[in-house]
Amino acid sequence: MTQANQKVKEQFNHFLSKKGLKGTLQRNLILDAFLDLDRSTHIDELYLLLRGKHPTIGHATVYRALRLFAAAGVAREINRGDGLTRYEVASGGKRRDYLVCIDCGTVTEFDNSTVEQFQAEVAGSMGFSIQSLKIELRGVCNHCKAQQG
Amino acid sequence: MTQANQKVKEQFNHFLSKKGLKGTLQRNLILDAFLDLDRSTHIDELYLLLRGKHPTIGHATVYRALRLFAAAGVAREINRGDGLTRYEVASGGKRRDYLVCIDCGTVTEFDNSTVEQFQAEVAGSMGFSIQSLKIELRGVCNHCKAQQG
DNA sequence: GCTGGTTTTGAAAGTTGATTTCGTTTATAG
DNA sequence: CTATAAACGAAATCAACTTTCAAAACCAGC
């Protein structure tokens, strides 16, 4: 358990008590698995993962837990347009910047200082308070370009 | 019928004959309705719209026609993460830049020269050939900010 | 520790939009 | 025309998401 993960768990517990909700074994197990995975995932993946160790945990519980994590601000929903709702740990920034290769399907995350500049400019000119930003670039990655000659 | 729309229809007909597919009454009606609407739409909206004038057109046919339009390059699929697959006329650029207000749900399109600059920089640094670009900013719009005081 | 009221759980059912099936109809080349 | 491949529409199916409901777990107050 990293210190960052410990902090996330505290944040979630604080959210629960603030809302009069209960801390349960299942919620703890699901949150642990979610944090341990440390990458974006979706309900069924997490469900199957947990199912191995804790056969009693149900699909609906995983579903509800992930939504609760999102409501608590410790997780974030991702929609990549593939019909699946993914979740990732929300800590550290609110950006989601992807390069999606239309050839091999690889999804690369990137971080470019231009993004911040871009964000500031749009916010200024449109009078818009930006809360989150999602940029998805689709194209052909270096590797696939090389393969195609 | 604008000249641009006429061109789109020619493009679609060319696609059909190139692929050995058939031009049908339904496909023409659906394409006309889609072009006339002149904004992003989804299957059911278009279906209901057509249904009024041409009660024999079925849901499946609208669905298949829109996918065909996309395959022909005259339409483009849009996924805004709301569970609906939308389509819009593909003519004119490959960008989709949105501002989504998390308060009132309004979706505003924007066009900012910074986008192009940004795109070029990312492509250069990552060795990525960008084909399409989707930017979605979520936040609070001017109007809602004013209402909240 | 109990107890009582509330919340949570898991299995199963329901919902929704997307997609396919299938028998019939239509378009088009020869 | 006629053959045949494609397209049609209604209905069925699919997959992911979401809700229902009775039983179980939680926890604040005794």
Side-chain angles (χ1 to χ4, degrees):
Chain A
M1 179 62 57
T2 68
Q3 197 164 349
N5 285 358
Q6 192 55 51
K7 197 167 174 183
V8 169
K9 295 180 74 169
E10 279 165 23
Q11 182 185 344
F12 180 59
N13 287 328
H14 177 251
F15 172 84
L16 289 180
S17 59
K18 192 178 63 184
K19 293 278 183 178
L21 303 176
K22 293 174 179 173
T24 66
L25 174 63
Q26 288 89 338
R27 285 175 179 169
N28 282 324
L29 291 171
I30 296 167
L31 184 51
D32 282 345
F34 179 54
L35 293 175
D36 283 353
L37 196 60
D38 198 28
R39 60 175 171 75
S40 70
T41 185
H42 75 108
I43 292 165
D44 282 342
E45 183 183 28
L46 214 49
Y47 168 63
L48 291 172
L49 204 66
L50 285 157
R51 192 79 190 196
K53 297 175 187 170
H54 310 279
T56 71
I57 291 181
H59 173 93
T61 302
V62 177
Y63 163 74
R64 286 184 284 227
L66 284 172
R67 300 204 66 174
L68 204 56
F69 298 165
V74 304
R76 170 164 61 223
E77 277 191 27
I78 304 176
N79 192 307
R80 286 186 193 158
D82 60 358
L84 297 181
T85 301
R86 294 163 192 282
Y87 291 85
E88 68 181 13
V89 179
S91 60
K94 291 182 176 173
R95 294 220 314 270
R96 300 203 305 277
D97 314 331
Y98 296 115
L99 287 170
V100 182
C101 180
I102 56 177
D103 214 51
C104 63
T106 308
V107 177
T108 314
E109 298 185 12
F110 66 92
D111 195 289
N112 191 303
S113 64
T114 311
V115 176
E116 317 223 341
Q117 201 181 314
F118 165 75
Q119 180 173 349
E121 184 160 333
V122 172
S125 65
M126 308 288 286
F128 203 86
S129 299
I130 293 174
Q131 192 194 70
S132 71
L133 182 147
K134 176 176 171 180
I135 295 182
E136 186 184 292
L137 301 173
R138 305 180 71 86
V140 183
C141 71
N142 235 345
H143 183 250
C144 288
K145 272 197 290 187
Q147 295 228 326
Q148 289 165 7
Chain B
M1 178 63 56
T2 69
Q3 198 164 350
N5 284 359
Q6 193 54 52
K7 197 168 175 184
V8 169
K9 296 181 75 170
E10 281 165 21
Q11 181 186 345
F12 181 59
N13 287 328
H14 178 251
F15 172 85
L16 289 180
S17 58
K18 193 178 63 183
K19 293 278 187 179
L21 303 175
K22 293 174 179 172
T24 67
L25 173 64
Q26 288 88 341
R27 285 176 179 169
N28 283 324
L29 290 172
I30 296 166
L31 184 51
D32 282 345
F34 179 54
L35 294 175
D36 283 352
L37 196 59
D38 198 29
R39 60 176 171 75
S40 70
T41 185
H42 72 109
I43 291 165
D44 282 343
E45 182 184 28
L46 213 48
Y47 169 64
L48 292 173
L49 204 66
L50 284 157
R51 192 80 189 193
K53 297 176 188 170
H54 310 280
T56 72
I57 291 181
H59 173 92
T61 301
V62 177
Y63 164 75
R64 285 183 284 228
L66 284 172
R67 301 205 65 175
L68 204 57
F69 298 164
V74 303
R76 172 165 59 227
E77 276 190 29
I78 304 176
N79 192 306
R80 286 185 194 160
D82 60 358
L84 297 181
T85 301
R86 295 162 192 282
Y87 291 85
E88 67 181 13
V89 179
S91 61
K94 291 182 175 174
R95 295 219 314 270
R96 301 203 304 277
D97 314 331
Y98 296 115
L99 288 170
V100 182
C101 180
I102 57 178
D103 214 52
C104 61
T106 308
V107 177
T108 313
E109 298 186 11
F110 67 91
D111 196 289
N112 189 301
S113 64
T114 312
V115 176
E116 317 222 341
Q117 199 181 315
F118 166 75
Q119 180 173 350
E121 184 162 332
V122 172
S125 65
M126 308 289 285
F128 204 85
S129 299
I130 292 173
Q131 195 194 67
S132 71
L133 182 147
K134 176 177 170 179
I135 296 181
E136 186 183 291
L137 301 173
R138 305 178 72 85
V140 183
C141 72
N142 235 346
H143 183 249
C144 288
K145 271 197 293 187
Q147 295 230 326
Q148 288 164 9

